[in-house]
């Protein structure tokens, strides 16, 4: 007679408890902060009045 082993729902070799969404969100917010910082620095040197917003 065989014993009914309860199979684990996750692989025991996987030690990471955080999902890949956590890493994605961290990278997303870091890149977003860098883009905002770049825009603020660029705006300090070249004002919005000097940027060509419309095509002639």
């Amino acid at each position: 007679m065989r014993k009914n082993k309860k199979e684990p729902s996750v692989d025991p070799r996987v030690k990471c408890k955080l999902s890949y969404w956590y890493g994605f969100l961290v990278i997303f917010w870091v890149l977003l902060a860098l883009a905002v910082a770049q825009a603020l620095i660029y705006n300090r040197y070249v004002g919005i009045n000097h940027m060509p917003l419309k095509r002639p």
Side-chain angles (χ1 to χ4, degrees), residues 7-27:
E7 291 186 23
S9 59
V10 289
D11 193 353
R13 296 173 291 179
V14 177
K15 300 200 186 306
C16 181
K17 296 189 189 286
L18 298 175
S19 67
Y20 65 93
W21 282 106
Y22 178 76
F24 171 78
L25 290 175
V26 168
I27 292 171

